[in-house]
Amino acid sequence: MANPSRQAVNFATPRGFATAFKADCKETFFPDDPFHEMKHEKPLNKLKKTIQYFIPLFEWLPNYNLRLFRYDLLAGITITSLAIPQGISYAKLASIPPIYGLYSSFIPPFVYSIFGSSKHLAVGTVAACSLLLSETVGAKASPQDDPTLYLHLIFTATFFTGIFQTALGFLRLGILVDFLSHSTITGFMGGTAIIICLQQLKGMFGLIHFTTHTDVVSVLGAVFRHRNEWRWESAVVGIIFLAFLQFTRYLRQKRPKLFWVSAIAPMVVVVVGCLFAFFAHAEKHGIQIVGELKKGLNPPSIQYLNFDPQYLPVTVRAGLITGLIAMAEGIAIGRSFAIMKSEQTDGNKEMIAFGFMNIIGSFTSCYLTTGPFSKTAVNFNAGCRTAMSNVVMGFCMMLTLLFLAPLFRYTPLVALSAIIMSAMLGLINYDEMIHLFKVDKFDFVICMAAFLGVSFVSMDVGLMLSVGLALLRALLYVARPAACKLGKIPNSSLYRDTEQYPGSTPIQGVLVLQLGSPIYFANSTYIRERVLRYIKEEQGVSDSKTDIIEHLLLDLSGVSSIDMTGIETFLELRRILDSKGIKLSIVNPRIEVLEKMTLAKFTDAIGKESFYLSIEDAVQNCRFSLHSSKTTMEEA
């Protein structure tokens, strides 16, 4: 007999496949539900808002004014002073002519200002991807032996990066970036910073011969193997520049209002270095300089894209790996600064913006660009208000390319090495690694896998090793989902984990278990065995017949989905429980789970009366059933 006071479960007719599929797709690809506000709009307004959604420029530009421009103008000029030395330096890391680093800070900022959703992100080249491109493409074409082929393959890899990023953005697959966990990025950036710093020892010591490998052992071996090439003059100049840059960083940390000192410090190093190299005839003393920088805007490079099957695998591989890293870094940085202003950025729009930047960039002599942390931090601190700061930077870079580029030909390579080393030292986040060790040892292992793998093997191996461990952890969570036994909190209707709340009391004759994850083929066997073990443990606590379990309640409120293997497991579990004289009941299944159970006839198999809205309803009904059964036995 059922408890007459219980609330009925709504066994609605399962939704059709098209309806359910549409709802799932909407939740997967449009979790922000951007078109909800447009439902009742007129067609013209709906079109206008749709264009504004996909092209953010049309959203902020109509409300733009001179007051906002004052802030963006200052921010744009400030980040240009950082973009020039960084562009030259990171082009050196990518083993391409320095002028291409300046080209890459001209066209992409204009593209991002149209399609980007972040108000604070400043785009440009980044050290990690520059080195990764050099390592990956350099394995197929040497930048020294065949620089023309190497440069063309760099453009091609950038093109594939753009295609990959744009495709992910249009397909709303920003979820893929989430596989690069915070631990992975922390370890990867730290390991990359280590090897980049060590590689700058070539410029610091004025070495001519060096290794093409990037791991710590090979780099240090090359440095000490060529001790006869060390130039003390170069080392002294490099140490002075590095000390100056580190002092400005320290000053910025102590006095945040003086951020501009740190921002213009790289440009000061370049200007002072150029003057020193010119007047002191630095080349005669073993201090190498950048050399000629051609004046003029970006020449077209679309005709240089190389799709030869011989080189296609390496360019596609380089494009995919660097594209994923660049996306993760750029999106994470944009979100971080948006949070500080209580604003939001759209990861899918960012991917489309990055993709267009790199596609158009590959056509106009640019290599991979994204949102670097250092430049974005300067842009934010300089008070930027909109993406117009990127437009200002683009125009400033245009003037540099047209009139000032040749002036940087005397830039000492040791000055660029100092700039890179100073920037990289800030990327090794020791505090975060220690924090990971204290909070989550597995996260720390994932971080260290990336850090040590990048440092001692290679960048792509370290990244894949770390991502592999992170995926393994996710699979372990899926294969071994959390389950707990619930007890009642005294003087309340709440049921909580008995291990977390030792004061909670079990219900005589009733075992309440809570499952907290999707039930799939990968974990269904474990769930069955875990439930049976709970029953065995519960009945093994006491030999008294009054403690025998007669009802098992499974709280499925935390189970978001179930497959056929999971339903078959529940049917098998019910047969086992029937043989033990235990009745199975289900509490609060979600609509997706209940629909599957209805279509699979599971609800008919165990009876709709075995489904409950709440644990309290189920427990009351079980007590009513136990009392009725006990009364019947006494009368018999």
Side-chain angles (χ1 to χ4, degrees):
M1 185 182 297
N3 182 359
S5 64
R6 62 173 284 195
Q7 297 291 324
V9 174
N10 180 19
F11 290 94
T13 304
R15 297 170 297 172
F17 172 77
T19 304
F21 183 73
K22 181 181 177 182
D24 290 341
C25 287
K26 179 181 177 182
E27 192 62 32
T28 301
F29 300 119
F30 293 94
D32 54 343
D33 196 9
F35 304 113
H36 178 72
E37 299 177 358
M38 307 179 195
K39 276 186 177 180
H40 307 294
E41 294 281 354
K42 294 180 179 179
L44 195 59
N45 285 341
K46 189 179 293 186
L47 176 63
K48 176 184 174 182
K49 290 188 175 182
T50 301
I51 293 174
Q52 288 177 338
Y53 176 77
F54 286 106
I55 307 178
L57 173 74
F58 293 117
E59 185 176 358
W60 60 264
L61 190 59
N63 301 318
Y64 199 72
N65 55 47
L66 188 60
R67 182 181 60 83
L68 295 174
F69 182 68
R70 287 184 301 172
Y71 292 101
D72 290 334
L73 178 64
L74 175 62
I77 294 173
T78 306
I79 57 177
T80 303
S81 68
L82 183 62
I84 294 172
Q86 275 193 352
I88 297 172
S89 303
Y90 295 160
K92 174 174 169 278
L93 271 181
S95 302
I96 59 178
I99 190 65
Y100 291 97
L102 300 183
Y103 289 158
S104 301
S105 295
F106 170 45
I107 298 293
F110 290 111
V111 179
Y112 183 82
S113 63
I114 298 173
F115 298 100
S117 65
S118 172
K119 296 179 180 179
H120 311 107
L121 199 74
V123 300
T125 56
V126 287
C129 292
S130 298
L131 184 62
L132 188 53
L133 276 173
S134 174
E135 180 187 7
T136 309
V137 177
K140 190 68 176 179
S142 171
Q144 289 81 31
D145 300 337
D146 196 345
T148 302
L149 174 62
Y150 174 81
L151 181 62
H152 294 175
L153 294 183
I154 291 289
F155 291 151
T156 310
T158 302
F159 172 76
F160 283 122
T161 292
I163 293 294
F164 173 61
Q165 292 173 333
T166 305
L168 290 183
F170 276 119
L171 295 175
R172 311 288 294 181
L173 293 179
I175 188 175
L176 294 181
V177 179
D178 296 335
F179 284 103
L180 290 179
S181 66
H182 175 70
S183 306
T184 296
I185 293 175
T186 300
F188 177 81
M189 298 306 290
T192 301
I194 291 290
I195 61 175
I196 289 176
C197 282
L198 291 177
Q199 283 204 329
Q200 300 319 302
L201 294 177
K202 176 186 178 184
M204 280 288 187
F205 289 115
L207 298 177
I208 298 173
H209 299 92
F210 206 60
T211 179
T212 56
H213 298 289
T214 58
D215 61 282
V216 170
V217 176
S218 298
V219 171
L220 288 178
V223 171
F224 288 101
R225 196 163 49 246
H226 299 102
R227 289 191 301 273
N228 58 310
E229 297 181 3
W230 290 9
R231 301 301 295 259
W232 68 267
E233 300 96 331
S234 181
V236 168
V237 172
I239 291 172
I240 292 173
F241 283 149
L242 182 59
F244 169 72
L245 291 167
Q246 288 301 100
F247 170 74
T248 60
R249 290 173 62 88
Y250 173 78
L251 189 64
R252 184 188 67 186
Q253 291 173 355
K254 290 296 181 182
R255 299 196 174 182
K257 289 185 178 180
L258 297 178
F259 73 91
W260 57 270
V261 176
S262 176
I264 66 170
M267 179 60 80
V268 171
V269 167
V270 168
V271 172
V272 172
C274 287
L275 295 174
F276 169 76
F278 179 77
F279 289 109
H281 303 288
E283 286 183 281
K284 296 180 181 179
H285 301 282
I287 299 177
Q288 304 170 38
I289 63 173
V290 167
E292 183 182 359
L293 291 176
K294 292 183 296 183
K295 187 164 60 172
L297 300 181
N298 301 31
S301 58
I302 186 171
Q303 70 274 22
Y304 298 137
L305 298 183
N306 190 323
F307 301 109
D308 189 325
Q310 179 183 355
Y311 305 109
L312 204 56
V314 73
T315 52
V316 170
R317 178 166 164 258
L320 294 183
I321 295 175
T322 55
L324 192 60
I325 295 170
M327 271 195 312
E329 182 179 356
I331 292 172
I333 289 168
R335 284 176 177 170
S336 299
F337 285 97
I339 289 172
M340 295 182 189
K341 292 287 189 179
S342 301
E343 297 170 351
Q344 288 184 330
T345 60
D346 188 322
N348 291 296
K349 290 180 188 175
E350 293 295 276
M351 284 190 287
I352 292 174
F354 293 159
F356 284 164
M357 276 193 332
N358 287 306
I359 290 174
I360 296 173
S362 69
F363 297 162
T364 54
S365 298
C366 303
Y367 79 104
L368 188 143
T369 51
T370 183
F373 177 81
S374 57
K375 198 182 294 182
T376 302
V378 169
N379 194 35
F380 181 85
N381 289 322
C384 72
R385 293 294 188 267
T386 68
M388 182 62 76
S389 61
N390 281 290
V391 176
V392 174
M393 180 179 70
F395 276 112
C396 290
M397 193 59 67
M398 179 184 70
L399 296 175
T400 301
L401 288 169
L402 287 174
F403 306 109
L404 304 178
L407 299 179
F408 295 102
R409 70 181 299 254
Y410 289 101
T411 305
L413 295 185
V414 67
L416 302 181
S417 295
I419 292 170
I420 293 172
M421 290 183 75
S422 177
M424 291 304 101
L425 290 173
L427 294 180
I428 307 174
N429 197 339
Y430 301 105
D431 293 336
E432 183 62 27
M433 293 178 186
I434 294 171
H435 181 67
L436 288 173
F437 179 78
K438 291 178 180 178
V439 175
D440 193 320
K441 300 298 187 292
F442 207 121
D443 261 341
F444 177 74
V445 171
I446 292 171
C447 177
M448 285 297 102
F451 182 81
L452 297 176
V454 169
S455 300
F456 291 96
V457 186
S458 67
M459 297 178 74
D460 50 351
V461 169
L463 184 66
M464 288 188 288
L465 184 62
S466 180
V467 171
L469 286 174
L471 290 177
L472 176 63
R473 185 186 201 187
L475 289 174
L476 287 175
Y477 282 144
V478 171
R480 296 292 181 266
C484 62
K485 183 176 74 171
L486 302 183
K488 187 172 184 178
I489 302 294
N491 303 317
S492 76
S493 59
L494 301 176
Y495 291 81
R496 294 294 182 265
D497 184 1
T498 55
E499 186 176 351
Q500 184 178 0
Y501 298 91
S504 59
T505 58
I507 298 93
Q508 184 177 337
V510 180
L511 176 61
V512 184
L513 300 180
Q514 185 179 65
L515 305 180
S517 73
I519 301 174
Y520 294 121
F521 64 92
N523 62 21
S524 56
T525 300
Y526 169 79
I527 289 174
R528 182 194 64 203
E529 298 301 326
R530 190 69 186 92
V531 169
L532 294 176
R533 196 170 90 209
Y534 269 121
I535 294 173
K536 185 178 178 180
E537 290 171 353
E538 191 71 13
Q539 292 183 333
V541 171
S542 173
D543 294 331
S544 172
K545 290 187 177 181
T546 58
D547 290 331
I548 292 177
I549 301 300
E550 295 188 30
H551 290 270
L552 172 65
L553 305 181
L554 292 182
D555 179 11
L556 302 187
S557 54
V559 177
S560 58
S561 61
I562 190 171
D563 67 356
M564 274 308 300
T565 305
I567 294 175
E568 289 296 330
T569 298
F570 275 175
L571 288 171
E572 183 182 350
L573 180 63
R574 176 176 173 267
R575 288 192 290 268
I576 295 173
L577 295 177
D578 283 346
S579 67
K580 296 177 179 290
I582 301 174
K583 179 176 172 56
L584 173 65
S585 298
I586 305 295
V587 177
N588 193 29
R590 296 177 59 171
I591 183 171
E592 296 87 352
V593 176
L594 191 58
E595 284 178 341
K596 291 275 185 70
M597 289 180 168
T598 302
L599 292 171
K601 307 296 183 183
F602 177 78
T603 53
D604 297 332
I606 70 169
K608 292 184 177 180
E609 68 278 2
S610 298
F611 287 79
Y612 298 89
L613 269 182
S614 68
I615 298 176
E616 183 67 20
D617 271 353
V619 169
Q620 291 297 331
N621 194 73
C622 290
R623 282 175 172 168
F624 183 79
S625 176
L626 286 170
H627 176 72
S628 301
S629 176
K630 184 178 180 181
T631 303
T632 303
M633 289 178 63
E634 288 176 351
E635 290 175 352

